Amino acid sequence: MKGENLGAVGERRAAAYLEACGYTVLESNWRVGHKEIDIICTDGDRIIVVEVKTRRAGVDYPAELMDRKKKHNLLKAGAAYLQRYGLEKELRFDLVIVEGGNGPVRHIREAIQIFD
């Protein structure tokens, strides 16, 4: 981990956390055009688009971590992923907050409501 980007450490920890919770990680850092999805996973029924935010200290207001543009880009990228692979599954958008290199991991399901 020494010399490794804090964001990369956070994404790796988030993927391990999700797998430990029973999710199957399908992709990491998936790109379509200029849009990127940090983690794409499934719980069997749904495709879950996960935005990972790594912070050195805790976050009191997680909603402030994703602005309108970020939400819009995630919605577009999620739809593009389904289309690219011909999937007809429900999409869910989650946020995983990783605190520091060894701090807690917080998983917020349905962090983006489609009609938000």
Side-chain angles (χ1 to χ4, degrees), residues 6-77:
L6 184 63
V9 170
E11 288 180 14
R12 193 175 69 249
R13 288 191 56 221
Y17 169 86
L18 291 165
E19 288 176 335
C21 290
Y23 296 92
T24 301
V25 173
L26 303 172
E27 307 268 357
S28 294
N29 300 309
W30 188 81
R31 291 186 176 277
V32 58
H34 296 292
K35 298 165 184 66
E36 179 185 3
I37 299 174
D38 294 331
I39 297 172
I40 300 172
C41 59
T42 184
D43 62 2
D45 297 327
R46 289 171 291 250
I47 298 295
I48 303 158
V49 172
V50 181
E51 175 70 8
V52 178
K53 296 293 187 181
T54 307
R55 297 293 180 259
R56 294 195 186 284
V59 174
D60 292 329
Y61 303 101
E64 294 176 358
L65 295 176
M66 291 199 306
D67 62 16
R68 182 175 291 271
K69 182 178 179 182
K70 183 64 176 176
K71 290 177 184 179
H72 178 76
N73 286 342
L74 286 173
L75 291 168
K76 289 268 197 194

